[in-house]
Amino acid sequence: MANVTVIGAQWGDEGKGKIVDWLASRADAVVRFQGGHNAGHTLVVGDTTYKLSLLPSGIVTGTLSIIGNGVVLDPWHLKSEIEKLEGQGVVINAENFAIADNCPLILPLHRDLDGLRETAAGAGKIGTTGRGIGPAYEDKVGRRAIRVCDLAHLDAMDPQLDRLCAHHDALRAGFGQPPVDRAALLAELKDIAPFVLQFAQPVWKRLKKVRKAGARILFEGAQGVLLDVDHGTYPFVTSSNTVSGTAASGSGLGPNSTGFVLGIVKAYTTRVGSGPFPTELDDDTGQKLGERGHEFGTVTGRKRRCGWFDAVLVRQSCAISGVTGIALTKLDVLDGFDTVKICTGYRLRGKILDYFPSHAADQAEVEPIYEEMEGWSATTAGARSWADLPAQAIKYISRVQELIETPVALVSTSPEREDTILVRDPFVD
């Protein structure tokens, strides 16, 4: 049986939560390997809706859920999210949940810096969630981060706090802010430490044991490939690598463990925040897509920008991340359109491009080349087999997989877990 790595192949918000939840019910372990609580996964199970931003989606099903070392962890948010889920009847303990002891922490000073930077940037702001994820990753790379394992040694923190505060005090002074209150920070860490440490362990060892037993591991990505710090629409990207290869480095397992790479792809395109968006529709059609798709960010509540499906971007994402097959979500949102369009290329200053350029100025200037297809009036909502789909919807799916040069493995037709058409089983293939 194969392991499965799930990534978003657009700008995030592709419906990964529902797909991961569907797969988690058949997995033995679910691992978050990058990002922080800037992720937003909505799960609908029966009459209950769960909203997750840090915890792996498998926690709802009782599957062993692990936060890997590639994640940056806000311990206070973790406590709040666990308490909320426990209030919904979800059982969370050291048996079904673990945190990598070498996972870096997001601190209040990271949230402060995130907000100060975005406010000062004005028109040049990136559009972050303001939760301190970027600054926490900077401190990790700068070798001044406080990690989960440090919570067990807070009485010996002075040298680390010296390095951390020397950096942040200078930045804060530039924004006219007072130095970090070291005593208050240390007190907050001492207060939260027992809660976090009950879950802390070298998770690479636990995963090695799970894998040796022949169990199925599901690696859960956050955001999307187009937000990858290297391969995305830089600088309007997240602070981590979101491609499938990060599943290995962000979990402590080798690259031969990631298995089937499932790219989650929405049947149209959305984006939250700033940055280029070639197929964006600032008209009634875009408004209709947003209303029918309930396009508001799970974490921020911000309205998502909407547009037609961009096959160029998805083909690029699939190639960069080695996607084995895609899960096409929200097909039902396209029900009732007389015609639907797919972007098949770009025009840039008289040239035709079959890829998305790297420079921000070129990205902002490209014009989409569309292929128009007949829409369908019958509903796809709730379909669980090809026979339930209108002929034109099947043609649309076929054309999408042809243009992105990647086969469709799953089709999701509603937020409900069981409203899924299985074309190719990622755990078997």
Side-chain angles (χ1 to χ4, degrees), residues 157-193:
M157 284 287 294
D158 281 347
Q160 286 173 271
L161 287 175
D162 287 343
R163 287 198 303 274
L164 184 69
C165 293
H167 178 77
H168 281 271
D169 286 349
L171 292 173
R172 293 168 69 90
F175 288 108
Q177 299 297 309
V180 174
D181 187 333
R182 290 175 57 148
L185 175 59
L186 196 56
E188 288 183 273
L189 290 172
K190 286 182 177 179
D191 181 63
I192 198 68

PDB file of all heavy atoms in Angstrom, residues 157-193:
ATOM      1  N   MET A 157      17.426  29.641  29.365  1.00  0.00           N
ATOM      2  CA  MET A 157      17.063  30.299  28.114  1.00  0.00           C
ATOM      3  C   MET A 157      17.817  31.588  27.818  1.00  0.00           C
ATOM      4  O   MET A 157      17.683  32.154  26.736  1.00  0.00           O
ATOM      5  CB  MET A 157      15.556  30.615  28.114  1.00  0.00           C
ATOM      6  CG  MET A 157      14.681  29.416  27.867  1.00  0.00           C
ATOM      7  SD  MET A 157      14.743  28.896  26.152  1.00  0.00           S
ATOM      8  CE  MET A 157      13.973  30.302  25.366  1.00  0.00           C
ATOM      9  N   ASP A 158      18.591  32.088  28.776  1.00  0.00           N
ATOM     10  CA  ASP A 158      19.178  33.418  28.602  1.00  0.00           C
ATOM     11  C   ASP A 158      19.989  33.586  27.316  1.00  0.00           C
ATOM     12  O   ASP A 158      19.811  34.585  26.599  1.00  0.00           O
ATOM     13  CB  ASP A 158      20.040  33.782  29.811  1.00  0.00           C
ATOM     14  CG  ASP A 158      19.190  34.245  30.987  1.00  0.00           C
ATOM     15  OD1 ASP A 158      17.990  34.517  30.770  1.00  0.00           O
ATOM     16  OD2 ASP A 158      19.711  34.333  32.107  1.00  0.00           O
ATOM     17  N   PRO A 159      20.895  32.666  26.962  1.00  0.00           N
ATOM     18  CA  PRO A 159      21.659  32.853  25.721  1.00  0.00           C
ATOM     19  C   PRO A 159      20.759  32.908  24.478  1.00  0.00           C
ATOM     20  O   PRO A 159      20.997  33.718  23.574  1.00  0.00           O
ATOM     21  CB  PRO A 159      22.573  31.626  25.681  1.00  0.00           C
ATOM     22  CG  PRO A 159      22.713  31.215  27.109  1.00  0.00           C
ATOM     23  CD  PRO A 159      21.380  31.489  27.715  1.00  0.00           C
ATOM     24  N   GLN A 160      19.719  32.068  24.445  1.00  0.00           N
ATOM     25  CA  GLN A 160      18.809  32.084  23.302  1.00  0.00           C
ATOM     26  C   GLN A 160      18.003  33.376  23.252  1.00  0.00           C
ATOM     27  O   GLN A 160      17.793  33.956  22.182  1.00  0.00           O
ATOM     28  CB  GLN A 160      17.855  30.883  23.371  1.00  0.00           C
ATOM     29  CG  GLN A 160      18.521  29.563  23.023  1.00  0.00           C
ATOM     30  CD  GLN A 160      17.584  28.401  23.266  1.00  0.00           C
ATOM     31  OE1 GLN A 160      17.542  27.856  24.362  1.00  0.00           O
ATOM     32  NE2 GLN A 160      16.834  28.040  22.253  1.00  0.00           N
ATOM     33  N   LEU A 161      17.546  33.822  24.415  1.00  0.00           N
ATOM     34  CA  LEU A 161      16.794  35.076  24.457  1.00  0.00           C
ATOM     35  C   LEU A 161      17.676  36.258  24.067  1.00  0.00           C
ATOM     36  O   LEU A 161      17.196  37.225  23.455  1.00  0.00           O
ATOM     37  CB  LEU A 161      16.195  35.291  25.846  1.00  0.00           C
ATOM     38  CG  LEU A 161      15.002  34.395  26.200  1.00  0.00           C
ATOM     39  CD1 LEU A 161      14.590  34.620  27.651  1.00  0.00           C
ATOM     40  CD2 LEU A 161      13.824  34.672  25.266  1.00  0.00           C
ATOM     41  N   ASP A 162      18.961  36.203  24.406  1.00  0.00           N
ATOM     42  CA  ASP A 162      19.889  37.263  24.003  1.00  0.00           C
ATOM     43  C   ASP A 162      19.933  37.383  22.480  1.00  0.00           C
ATOM     44  O   ASP A 162      19.845  38.485  21.924  1.00  0.00           O
ATOM     45  CB  ASP A 162      21.302  36.975  24.534  1.00  0.00           C
ATOM     46  CG  ASP A 162      21.426  37.198  26.028  1.00  0.00           C
ATOM     47  OD1 ASP A 162      20.538  37.868  26.605  1.00  0.00           O
ATOM     48  OD2 ASP A 162      22.401  36.693  26.628  1.00  0.00           O
ATOM     49  N   ARG A 163      20.087  36.232  21.802  1.00  0.00           N
ATOM     50  CA  ARG A 163      20.149  36.245  20.334  1.00  0.00           C
ATOM     51  C   ARG A 163      18.834  36.721  19.735  1.00  0.00           C
ATOM     52  O   ARG A 163      18.801  37.533  18.806  1.00  0.00           O
ATOM     53  CB  ARG A 163      20.464  34.833  19.796  1.00  0.00           C
ATOM     54  CG  ARG A 163      21.891  34.381  20.005  1.00  0.00           C
ATOM     55  CD  ARG A 163      22.243  33.212  19.085  1.00  0.00           C
ATOM     56  NE  ARG A 163      21.344  32.075  19.255  1.00  0.00           N
ATOM     57  CZ  ARG A 163      21.498  31.126  20.167  1.00  0.00           C
ATOM     58  NH1 ARG A 163      22.507  31.211  21.037  1.00  0.00           N
ATOM     59  NH2 ARG A 163      20.668  30.104  20.237  1.00  0.00           N
ATOM     60  N   LEU A 164      17.739  36.181  20.268  1.00  0.00           N
ATOM     61  CA  LEU A 164      16.419  36.503  19.742  1.00  0.00           C
ATOM     62  C   LEU A 164      16.089  37.984  19.921  1.00  0.00           C
ATOM     63  O   LEU A 164      15.661  38.665  18.978  1.00  0.00           O
ATOM     64  CB  LEU A 164      15.371  35.641  20.437  1.00  0.00           C
ATOM     65  CG  LEU A 164      13.928  35.766  19.946  1.00  0.00           C
ATOM     66  CD1 LEU A 164      13.783  35.187  18.550  1.00  0.00           C
ATOM     67  CD2 LEU A 164      12.980  35.062  20.910  1.00  0.00           C
ATOM     68  N   CYS A 165      16.316  38.493  21.111  1.00  0.00           N
ATOM     69  CA  CYS A 165      15.940  39.876  21.410  1.00  0.00           C
ATOM     70  C   CYS A 165      16.869  40.889  20.753  1.00  0.00           C
ATOM     71  O   CYS A 165      16.434  41.997  20.393  1.00  0.00           O
ATOM     72  CB  CYS A 165      15.889  40.098  22.919  1.00  0.00           C
ATOM     73  SG  CYS A 165      14.561  39.172  23.729  1.00  0.00           S
ATOM     74  N   ALA A 166      18.146  40.526  20.565  1.00  0.00           N
ATOM     75  CA  ALA A 166      19.062  41.433  19.860  1.00  0.00           C
ATOM     76  C   ALA A 166      18.544  41.718  18.462  1.00  0.00           C
ATOM     77  O   ALA A 166      18.634  42.850  17.957  1.00  0.00           O
ATOM     78  CB  ALA A 166      20.458  40.818  19.804  1.00  0.00           C
ATOM     79  N   HIS A 167      17.991  40.705  17.846  1.00  0.00           N
ATOM     80  CA  HIS A 167      17.438  40.858  16.491  1.00  0.00           C
ATOM     81  C   HIS A 167      16.124  41.641  16.520  1.00  0.00           C
ATOM     82  O   HIS A 167      15.959  42.631  15.795  1.00  0.00           O
ATOM     83  CB  HIS A 167      17.227  39.474  15.882  1.00  0.00           C
ATOM     84  CG  HIS A 167      16.610  39.500  14.517  1.00  0.00           C
ATOM     85  ND1 HIS A 167      17.326  39.811  13.380  1.00  0.00           N
ATOM     86  CD2 HIS A 167      15.340  39.253  14.103  1.00  0.00           C
ATOM     87  CE1 HIS A 167      16.532  39.755  12.325  1.00  0.00           C
ATOM     88  NE2 HIS A 167      15.324  39.421  12.736  1.00  0.00           N
ATOM     89  N   HIS A 168      15.201  41.205  17.366  1.00  0.00           N
ATOM     90  CA  HIS A 168      13.863  41.801  17.353  1.00  0.00           C
ATOM     91  C   HIS A 168      13.821  43.189  17.964  1.00  0.00           C
ATOM     92  O   HIS A 168      13.029  44.040  17.519  1.00  0.00           O
ATOM     93  CB  HIS A 168      12.869  40.858  18.046  1.00  0.00           C
ATOM     94  CG  HIS A 168      12.425  39.736  17.178  1.00  0.00           C
ATOM     95  ND1 HIS A 168      11.335  39.813  16.340  1.00  0.00           N
ATOM     96  CD2 HIS A 168      12.967  38.505  16.973  1.00  0.00           C
ATOM     97  CE1 HIS A 168      11.196  38.678  15.676  1.00  0.00           C
ATOM     98  NE2 HIS A 168      12.179  37.866  16.041  1.00  0.00           N
ATOM     99  N   ASP A 169      14.663  43.450  18.946  1.00  0.00           N
ATOM    100  CA  ASP A 169      14.665  44.790  19.537  1.00  0.00           C
ATOM    101  C   ASP A 169      15.081  45.838  18.511  1.00  0.00           C
ATOM    102  O   ASP A 169      14.521  46.952  18.484  1.00  0.00           O
ATOM    103  CB  ASP A 169      15.607  44.834  20.750  1.00  0.00           C
ATOM    104  CG  ASP A 169      15.032  44.130  21.961  1.00  0.00           C
ATOM    105  OD1 ASP A 169      13.829  43.788  21.930  1.00  0.00           O
ATOM    106  OD2 ASP A 169      15.780  43.904  22.945  1.00  0.00           O
ATOM    107  N   ALA A 170      16.037  45.495  17.658  1.00  0.00           N
ATOM    108  CA  ALA A 170      16.472  46.439  16.620  1.00  0.00           C
ATOM    109  C   ALA A 170      15.355  46.689  15.615  1.00  0.00           C
ATOM    110  O   ALA A 170      15.122  47.831  15.188  1.00  0.00           O
ATOM    111  CB  ALA A 170      17.710  45.878  15.913  1.00  0.00           C
ATOM    112  N   LEU A 171      14.656  45.609  15.224  1.00  0.00           N
ATOM    113  CA  LEU A 171      13.537  45.764  14.289  1.00  0.00           C
ATOM    114  C   LEU A 171      12.412  46.582  14.912  1.00  0.00           C
ATOM    115  O   LEU A 171      11.839  47.476  14.268  1.00  0.00           O
ATOM    116  CB  LEU A 171      13.011  44.392  13.870  1.00  0.00           C
ATOM    117  CG  LEU A 171      13.930  43.525  13.005  1.00  0.00           C
ATOM    118  CD1 LEU A 171      13.329  42.135  12.814  1.00  0.00           C
ATOM    119  CD2 LEU A 171      14.157  44.181  11.643  1.00  0.00           C
ATOM    120  N   ARG A 172      12.096  46.299  16.147  1.00  0.00           N
ATOM    121  CA  ARG A 172      11.012  47.018  16.826  1.00  0.00           C
ATOM    122  C   ARG A 172      11.347  48.505  16.987  1.00  0.00           C
ATOM    123  O   ARG A 172      10.470  49.363  16.848  1.00  0.00           O
ATOM    124  CB  ARG A 172      10.733  46.378  18.185  1.00  0.00           C
ATOM    125  CG  ARG A 172      10.147  44.975  18.085  1.00  0.00           C
ATOM    126  CD  ARG A 172      10.153  44.258  19.434  1.00  0.00           C
ATOM    127  NE  ARG A 172       9.215  44.857  20.373  1.00  0.00           N
ATOM    128  CZ  ARG A 172       7.949  44.488  20.501  1.00  0.00           C
ATOM    129  NH1 ARG A 172       7.466  43.517  19.732  1.00  0.00           N
ATOM    130  NH2 ARG A 172       7.154  45.076  21.383  1.00  0.00           N
ATOM    131  N   ALA A 173      12.619  48.794  17.246  1.00  0.00           N
ATOM    132  CA  ALA A 173      13.035  50.196  17.375  1.00  0.00           C
ATOM    133  C   ALA A 173      12.803  50.941  16.073  1.00  0.00           C
ATOM    134  O   ALA A 173      12.413  52.119  16.074  1.00  0.00           O
ATOM    135  CB  ALA A 173      14.507  50.268  17.778  1.00  0.00           C
ATOM    136  N   GLY A 174      13.038  50.252  14.952  1.00  0.00           N
ATOM    137  CA  GLY A 174      12.809  50.868  13.645  1.00  0.00           C
ATOM    138  C   GLY A 174      11.361  51.232  13.405  1.00  0.00           C
ATOM    139  O   GLY A 174      11.054  52.129  12.616  1.00  0.00           O
ATOM    140  N   PHE A 175      10.466  50.520  14.075  1.00  0.00           N
ATOM    141  CA  PHE A 175       9.030  50.824  13.958  1.00  0.00           C
ATOM    142  C   PHE A 175       8.532  51.686  15.119  1.00  0.00           C
ATOM    143  O   PHE A 175       7.329  51.887  15.276  1.00  0.00           O
ATOM    144  CB  PHE A 175       8.223  49.520  13.929  1.00  0.00           C
ATOM    145  CG  PHE A 175       8.360  48.748  12.649  1.00  0.00           C
ATOM    146  CD1 PHE A 175       9.087  47.562  12.608  1.00  0.00           C
ATOM    147  CD2 PHE A 175       7.758  49.196  11.480  1.00  0.00           C
ATOM    148  CE1 PHE A 175       9.209  46.842  11.436  1.00  0.00           C
ATOM    149  CE2 PHE A 175       7.874  48.480  10.307  1.00  0.00           C
ATOM    150  CZ  PHE A 175       8.606  47.298  10.267  1.00  0.00           C
ATOM    151  N   GLY A 176       9.467  52.178  15.934  1.00  0.00           N
ATOM    152  CA  GLY A 176       9.089  53.026  17.060  1.00  0.00           C
ATOM    153  C   GLY A 176       8.450  52.266  18.205  1.00  0.00           C
ATOM    154  O   GLY A 176       7.686  52.840  18.990  1.00  0.00           O
ATOM    155  N   GLN A 177       8.762  50.977  18.316  1.00  0.00           N
ATOM    156  CA  GLN A 177       8.182  50.137  19.364  1.00  0.00           C
ATOM    157  C   GLN A 177       9.200  49.855  20.471  1.00  0.00           C
ATOM    158  O   GLN A 177      10.407  49.851  20.229  1.00  0.00           O
ATOM    159  CB  GLN A 177       7.702  48.809  18.768  1.00  0.00           C
ATOM    160  CG  GLN A 177       6.632  48.958  17.704  1.00  0.00           C
ATOM    161  CD  GLN A 177       5.356  49.576  18.258  1.00  0.00           C
ATOM    162  OE1 GLN A 177       4.831  49.124  19.277  1.00  0.00           O
ATOM    163  NE2 GLN A 177       4.889  50.626  17.608  1.00  0.00           N
ATOM    164  N   PRO A 178       8.740  49.590  21.689  1.00  0.00           N
ATOM    165  CA  PRO A 178       9.664  49.293  22.793  1.00  0.00           C
ATOM    166  C   PRO A 178      10.301  47.919  22.617  1.00  0.00           C
ATOM    167  O   PRO A 178       9.826  47.090  21.824  1.00  0.00           O
ATOM    168  CB  PRO A 178       8.754  49.321  24.022  1.00  0.00           C
ATOM    169  CG  PRO A 178       7.390  48.985  23.495  1.00  0.00           C
ATOM    170  CD  PRO A 178       7.331  49.605  22.129  1.00  0.00           C
ATOM    171  N   PRO A 179      11.382  47.642  23.353  1.00  0.00           N
ATOM    172  CA  PRO A 179      12.031  46.329  23.268  1.00  0.00           C
ATOM    173  C   PRO A 179      11.088  45.211  23.723  1.00  0.00           C
ATOM    174  O   PRO A 179      10.063  45.457  24.367  1.00  0.00           O
ATOM    175  CB  PRO A 179      13.229  46.458  24.214  1.00  0.00           C
ATOM    176  CG  PRO A 179      13.429  47.915  24.409  1.00  0.00           C
ATOM    177  CD  PRO A 179      12.082  48.551  24.273  1.00  0.00           C
ATOM    178  N   VAL A 180      11.465  43.988  23.394  1.00  0.00           N
ATOM    179  CA  VAL A 180      10.715  42.816  23.840  1.00  0.00           C
ATOM    180  C   VAL A 180      10.741  42.747  25.366  1.00  0.00           C
ATOM    181  O   VAL A 180      11.796  42.946  25.986  1.00  0.00           O
ATOM    182  CB  VAL A 180      11.332  41.523  23.253  1.00  0.00           C
ATOM    183  CG1 VAL A 180      10.635  40.289  23.829  1.00  0.00           C
ATOM    184  CG2 VAL A 180      11.254  41.530  21.730  1.00  0.00           C
ATOM    185  N   ASP A 181       9.600  42.490  25.971  1.00  0.00           N
ATOM    186  CA  ASP A 181       9.521  42.302  27.419  1.00  0.00           C
ATOM    187  C   ASP A 181       9.915  40.851  27.713  1.00  0.00           C
ATOM    188  O   ASP A 181       9.093  39.939  27.651  1.00  0.00           O
ATOM    189  CB  ASP A 181       8.093  42.576  27.899  1.00  0.00           C
ATOM    190  CG  ASP A 181       7.972  42.568  29.420  1.00  0.00           C
ATOM    191  OD1 ASP A 181       8.790  41.891  30.070  1.00  0.00           O
ATOM    192  OD2 ASP A 181       7.050  43.219  29.941  1.00  0.00           O
ATOM    193  N   ARG A 182      11.185  40.645  28.002  1.00  0.00           N
ATOM    194  CA  ARG A 182      11.712  39.283  28.180  1.00  0.00           C
ATOM    195  C   ARG A 182      11.043  38.559  29.330  1.00  0.00           C
ATOM    196  O   ARG A 182      10.738  37.364  29.226  1.00  0.00           O
ATOM    197  CB  ARG A 182      13.226  39.329  28.396  1.00  0.00           C
ATOM    198  CG  ARG A 182      13.998  39.735  27.164  1.00  0.00           C
ATOM    199  CD  ARG A 182      15.485  39.905  27.425  1.00  0.00           C
ATOM    200  NE  ARG A 182      16.103  38.690  27.966  1.00  0.00           N
ATOM    201  CZ  ARG A 182      17.365  38.348  27.724  1.00  0.00           C
ATOM    202  NH1 ARG A 182      18.113  39.101  26.933  1.00  0.00           N
ATOM    203  NH2 ARG A 182      17.883  37.266  28.254  1.00  0.00           N
ATOM    204  N   ALA A 183      10.810  39.257  30.410  1.00  0.00           N
ATOM    205  CA  ALA A 183      10.204  38.623  31.579  1.00  0.00           C
ATOM    206  C   ALA A 183       8.790  38.139  31.263  1.00  0.00           C
ATOM    207  O   ALA A 183       8.389  37.036  31.651  1.00  0.00           O
ATOM    208  CB  ALA A 183      10.183  39.590  32.757  1.00  0.00           C
ATOM    209  N   ALA A 184       8.032  38.979  30.548  1.00  0.00           N
ATOM    210  CA  ALA A 184       6.658  38.607  30.192  1.00  0.00           C
ATOM    211  C   ALA A 184       6.652  37.425  29.232  1.00  0.00           C
ATOM    212  O   ALA A 184       5.827  36.511  29.356  1.00  0.00           O
ATOM    213  CB  ALA A 184       5.938  39.797  29.574  1.00  0.00           C
ATOM    214  N   LEU A 185       7.578  37.430  28.245  1.00  0.00           N
ATOM    215  CA  LEU A 185       7.672  36.328  27.292  1.00  0.00           C
ATOM    216  C   LEU A 185       8.004  35.026  28.006  1.00  0.00           C
ATOM    217  O   LEU A 185       7.379  33.980  27.754  1.00  0.00           O
ATOM    218  CB  LEU A 185       8.744  36.637  26.240  1.00  0.00           C
ATOM    219  CG  LEU A 185       9.056  35.514  25.235  1.00  0.00           C
ATOM    220  CD1 LEU A 185       7.812  35.122  24.457  1.00  0.00           C
ATOM    221  CD2 LEU A 185      10.175  35.947  24.293  1.00  0.00           C
ATOM    222  N   LEU A 186       8.962  35.074  28.902  1.00  0.00           N
ATOM    223  CA  LEU A 186       9.367  33.869  29.633  1.00  0.00           C
ATOM    224  C   LEU A 186       8.216  33.354  30.503  1.00  0.00           C
ATOM    225  O   LEU A 186       7.995  32.140  30.599  1.00  0.00           O
ATOM    226  CB  LEU A 186      10.591  34.179  30.490  1.00  0.00           C
ATOM    227  CG  LEU A 186      11.385  32.976  31.026  1.00  0.00           C
ATOM    228  CD1 LEU A 186      11.830  32.066  29.882  1.00  0.00           C
ATOM    229  CD2 LEU A 186      12.591  33.464  31.818  1.00  0.00           C
ATOM    230  N   ALA A 187       7.471  34.259  31.084  1.00  0.00           N
ATOM    231  CA  ALA A 187       6.330  33.857  31.914  1.00  0.00           C
ATOM    232  C   ALA A 187       5.263  33.170  31.079  1.00  0.00           C
ATOM    233  O   ALA A 187       4.671  32.163  31.491  1.00  0.00           O
ATOM    234  CB  ALA A 187       5.750  35.078  32.623  1.00  0.00           C
ATOM    235  N   GLU A 188       5.025  33.712  29.886  1.00  0.00           N
ATOM    236  CA  GLU A 188       4.031  33.094  28.991  1.00  0.00           C
ATOM    237  C   GLU A 188       4.472  31.705  28.558  1.00  0.00           C
ATOM    238  O   GLU A 188       3.651  30.773  28.468  1.00  0.00           O
ATOM    239  CB  GLU A 188       3.812  33.987  27.768  1.00  0.00           C
ATOM    240  CG  GLU A 188       3.051  35.256  28.038  1.00  0.00           C
ATOM    241  CD  GLU A 188       2.795  36.055  26.776  1.00  0.00           C
ATOM    242  OE1 GLU A 188       3.672  36.858  26.394  1.00  0.00           O
ATOM    243  OE2 GLU A 188       1.730  35.866  26.165  1.00  0.00           O
ATOM    244  N   LEU A 189       5.751  31.556  28.276  1.00  0.00           N
ATOM    245  CA  LEU A 189       6.274  30.257  27.859  1.00  0.00           C
ATOM    246  C   LEU A 189       6.186  29.239  29.000  1.00  0.00           C
ATOM    247  O   LEU A 189       5.842  28.067  28.766  1.00  0.00           O
ATOM    248  CB  LEU A 189       7.717  30.399  27.376  1.00  0.00           C
ATOM    249  CG  LEU A 189       7.906  31.128  26.050  1.00  0.00           C
ATOM    250  CD1 LEU A 189       9.383  31.391  25.776  1.00  0.00           C
ATOM    251  CD2 LEU A 189       7.287  30.332  24.897  1.00  0.00           C
ATOM    252  N   LYS A 190       6.489  29.670  30.211  1.00  0.00           N
ATOM    253  CA  LYS A 190       6.408  28.759  31.356  1.00  0.00           C
ATOM    254  C   LYS A 190       4.965  28.317  31.604  1.00  0.00           C
ATOM    255  O   LYS A 190       4.707  27.183  32.028  1.00  0.00           O
ATOM    256  CB  LYS A 190       6.981  29.442  32.604  1.00  0.00           C
ATOM    257  CG  LYS A 190       8.495  29.537  32.597  1.00  0.00           C
ATOM    258  CD  LYS A 190       9.026  30.176  33.879  1.00  0.00           C
ATOM    259  CE  LYS A 190      10.559  30.194  33.879  1.00  0.00           C
ATOM    260  NZ  LYS A 190      11.105  30.829  35.104  1.00  0.00           N
ATOM    261  N   ASP A 191       4.036  29.205  31.320  1.00  0.00           N
ATOM    262  CA  ASP A 191       2.630  28.887  31.530  1.00  0.00           C
ATOM    263  C   ASP A 191       2.121  27.853  30.521  1.00  0.00           C
ATOM    264  O   ASP A 191       1.367  26.951  30.868  1.00  0.00           O
ATOM    265  CB  ASP A 191       1.797  30.167  31.439  1.00  0.00           C
ATOM    266  CG  ASP A 191       0.326  29.905  31.662  1.00  0.00           C
ATOM    267  OD1 ASP A 191      -0.044  29.462  32.767  1.00  0.00           O
ATOM    268  OD2 ASP A 191      -0.466  30.117  30.718  1.00  0.00           O
ATOM    269  N   ILE A 192       2.548  27.972  29.261  1.00  0.00           N
ATOM    270  CA  ILE A 192       2.040  27.101  28.196  1.00  0.00           C
ATOM    271  C   ILE A 192       2.850  25.817  28.065  1.00  0.00           C
ATOM    272  O   ILE A 192       2.379  24.835  27.474  1.00  0.00           O
ATOM    273  CB  ILE A 192       2.015  27.856  26.841  1.00  0.00           C
ATOM    274  CG1 ILE A 192       1.090  27.156  25.826  1.00  0.00           C
ATOM    275  CG2 ILE A 192       3.406  27.988  26.246  1.00  0.00           C
ATOM    276  CD1 ILE A 192      -0.374  27.221  26.169  1.00  0.00           C
ATOM    277  N   ALA A 193       4.074  25.789  28.593  1.00  0.00           N
ATOM    278  CA  ALA A 193       4.987  24.655  28.387  1.00  0.00           C
ATOM    279  C   ALA A 193       4.398  23.296  28.762  1.00  0.00           C
ATOM    280  O   ALA A 193       4.485  22.343  27.969  1.00  0.00           O
ATOM    281  CB  ALA A 193       6.299  24.895  29.131  1.00  0.00           C
TER     282      ALA A 193
END
